[in-house]
């Protein structure tokens, strides 16, 4: 196949890759790898190659830390092609996000949105709104995350992408829970239940685990801890150990609210990844030790919780100024 491709002109291969990008991005990537940028004679083709190659890398989950290639696309398509400029800035934002360049990511998404709003591409808008929702969630700006999850869900619904519609509505529900908008969160979950019932995603492990965990969080905030434990416990395990360990932490937290301290301790001891939940993890251990009258260990875990909070706060400072 590669031999046949290389027999074609580089610009013909570029057009072929562009046509395949949406549905067969793995094939598009193979074609793009046969092209040497120096073979392309026009500035427009060089810019298109830069955009398509970065798009193919992202879609195939091959991540690059450099923005030198996508910058060729942003420089060229600015003020020339709204849709391609929007995509170029969108992939620039993703590179920045993976590099923890919060301000660069926010500015790139803003530019991507400004161009996308002058197109008729709801798919493009959905991607941008979804990434902005994630960005604001990471910055703990939950009101903004709710807003962009809602806009992303609406755009995904227009293009009949039920899978990503469900994910965005669940994102919206979780942000509403964090903001104590429990009625809105319940409404979001009801919308998700209808969408799941109308689709073939009932056995999808990602959808199922995310949905049950969201219901667990909702009932926890409604002080219905028995229901919370039920939904957390039926949340299926995934291939993401961070997600699964966080679910265990949530089960333990619910057990503590029903005074089942021994059950909570057993669950906490099964956790392998603590990460950013460290402050809350150590606070639970502090509560458990206090319930047993072991104030020495309770003080040790209180100090660990304080240290973990300080570490996370330092990390958030740079992120919170972006947006």
């Amino acid at each position: 196949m590669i031999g046949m491709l290389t027999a074609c002109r580089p610009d013909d291969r570029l057009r072929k890759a562009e046509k395949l990008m949406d549905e067969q991005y793995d094939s598009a990537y193979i074609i793009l790898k046969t092209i040497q940028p120096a073979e392309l004679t026009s500035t427009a083709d060089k810019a298109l190659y830069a955009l398509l190659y970065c798009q193919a890398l992202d879609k195939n989950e091959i991540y690059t830390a450099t923005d030198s290639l996508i910058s060729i696309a942003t420089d060229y398509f600015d003020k020339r092609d709204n849709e391609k400029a929007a995509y170029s800035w969108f992939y620039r934002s993703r590179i920045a996000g993976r590099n923890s360049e919060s301000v660069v990511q926010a500015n790139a998404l803003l530019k991507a949105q400004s161009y996308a709003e002058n197109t008729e591409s709801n798919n493009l808008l959905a991607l941008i709104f979804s990434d902005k929702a994630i960005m604001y969630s990471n910055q703990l700006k939950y009101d903004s995350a709710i807003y962009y999850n809602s806009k992303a869900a609406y755009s995904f619904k227009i293009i009949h992408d039920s899978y990503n519609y469900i994910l965005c509505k669940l994102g919206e529900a979780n942000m509403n829970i964090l903001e104590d908008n429990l009625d809105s969160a319940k409404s979001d979950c009801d919308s998700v239940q209808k969408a799941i019932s109308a689709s073939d995603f009932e056995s999808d492990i990602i959808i199922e685990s995310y949905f049950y965990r969201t219901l667990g969080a909702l009932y926890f905030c409604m002080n219905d801890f028995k229901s919370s434990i039920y939904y957390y416990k039926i949340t299926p395990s995934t291939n993401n150990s961070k997600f699964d360990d966080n679910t265990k932490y949530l089960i333990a937290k619910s057990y503590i609210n029903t005074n089942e301290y021994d059950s909570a301790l057993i669950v906490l001891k099964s956790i392998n990844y603590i990460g950013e939940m460290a402050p809350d993890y150590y606070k639970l251990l502090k509560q458990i030790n206090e319930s047993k009258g072991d104030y020495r260990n309770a003080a040790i875990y209180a100090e660990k919780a304080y240290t973990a909070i300080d570490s996370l706060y330092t990390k958030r400072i740079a992120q919170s100024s972006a947006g």
Side-chain angles (χ1 to χ4, degrees):
M1 175 183 174
I2 293 177
M4 293 176 62
L5 286 170
T6 53
C8 299
R9 289 170 43 183
D11 54 341
D12 289 337
R13 280 177 269 157
L14 191 64
R15 303 293 178 269
K16 178 69 172 176
E18 185 176 20
K19 289 179 181 178
L20 293 174
M21 187 60 71
D22 287 340
E23 302 295 334
Q24 300 178 52
Y25 48 81
D26 51 345
S27 297
Y29 177 57
I30 291 172
I31 294 171
L32 289 167
K33 287 201 298 181
T34 70
I35 301 173
Q36 295 297 321
E39 297 178 301
L40 300 168
T41 56
S42 74
T43 304
D45 280 351
K46 291 179 186 293
L48 180 59
Y49 170 82
L51 171 57
L52 294 177
Y53 196 82
C54 290
Q55 189 173 17
L57 288 176
D58 188 86
K59 284 177 172 285
N60 285 282
E61 299 184 355
I62 304 169
Y63 302 129
T64 177
T66 177
D67 63 357
S68 58
L69 188 60
I70 196 62
S71 294
I72 296 172
T74 55
D75 289 347
Y76 180 81
F77 290 119
D78 271 1
K79 300 182 175 63
R80 282 189 172 94
D81 185 313
N82 285 330
E83 186 166 342
K84 287 184 172 64
Y87 272 114
S88 298
W89 283 107
F90 173 72
Y91 288 111
R92 176 68 185 90
S93 76
R94 286 203 159 176
I95 293 170
R98 287 192 286 269
N99 289 336
S100 299
E101 298 172 333
S102 303
V103 174
V104 176
Q105 179 192 21
N107 288 337
L109 279 173
L110 184 62
K111 288 184 178 181
Q113 183 178 341
S114 67
Y115 281 114
E117 287 174 341
N118 290 309
T119 74
E120 296 180 356
S121 175
N122 281 294
N123 179 68
L124 177 54
L125 285 168
L127 291 173
I128 293 168
F129 293 149
S130 179
D131 272 25
K132 291 193 81 165
I134 293 169
M135 179 186 71
Y136 283 122
S137 175
N138 289 337
Q139 295 172 6
L140 311 184
K141 298 177 180 178
Y142 301 132
D143 280 344
S144 295
I146 290 168
Y147 176 76
Y148 281 106
N149 266 312
S150 178
K151 288 179 74 69
Y154 177 76
S155 295
F156 280 125
K157 189 173 185 178
I158 289 176
I159 61 175
H160 307 292
D161 185 341
S162 299
Y163 191 87
N164 282 303
Y165 165 80
I166 289 170
L167 292 179
C168 288
K169 289 302 290 184
L170 287 173
E172 185 179 350
N174 277 278
M175 296 302 100
N176 273 314
I177 290 169
L178 289 169
E179 286 290 278
D180 203 31
N181 302 327
L182 301 186
D183 288 341
S184 295
K186 181 65 167 61
S187 176
D188 293 331
C189 288
D190 289 344
S191 296
V192 168
Q193 182 65 73
K194 290 178 183 177
I196 291 175
S197 298
S199 67
D200 57 353
F201 299 135
E202 289 184 328
S203 59
D204 184 277
I205 194 168
I206 294 176
I207 293 292
E208 189 179 13
S209 59
Y210 196 9
F211 182 48
Y212 287 144
R213 240 182 59 152
T214 302
L215 286 173
L218 177 60
Y219 283 110
F220 182 92
C221 291
M222 293 169 67
N223 296 320
D224 184 350
F225 302 116
K226 291 294 184 182
S227 293
S228 177
I229 291 169
Y230 170 76
Y231 283 110
Y232 283 142
K233 290 184 78 171
I234 65 170
T235 298
S237 296
T238 67
N239 292 323
N240 187 327
S241 59
K242 180 178 178 180
F243 183 93
D244 294 340
D245 280 336
N246 185 251
T247 302
K248 293 176 184 177
Y249 157 78
L250 294 170
I251 294 171
K253 186 177 180 180
S254 298
Y255 273 134
I256 283 178
N257 279 275
T258 59
N259 298 319
E260 297 175 78
Y261 295 105
D262 289 338
S263 295
L265 184 58
I266 290 170
V267 176
L268 285 176
K269 285 183 176 180
S270 70
I271 292 175
N272 296 310
Y273 178 87
I274 299 176
E276 292 194 357
M277 65 180 176
D280 297 317
Y281 175 85
Y282 290 127
K283 284 178 183 178
L284 291 192
L285 287 171
K286 171 181 173 290
Q287 287 181 259
I288 291 170
N289 280 278
E290 284 176 340
S291 74
K292 297 177 181 295
D294 188 345
Y295 298 107
R296 179 178 177 278
N297 274 327
I300 291 172
Y301 286 120
E303 177 62 26
K304 286 187 175 183
Y306 176 81
T307 302
I309 290 170
D310 186 60
S311 175
L312 288 176
Y313 176 74
T314 302
K315 180 180 178 182
R316 295 288 187 188
I317 289 176
Q319 294 179 332
S320 64
S321 63

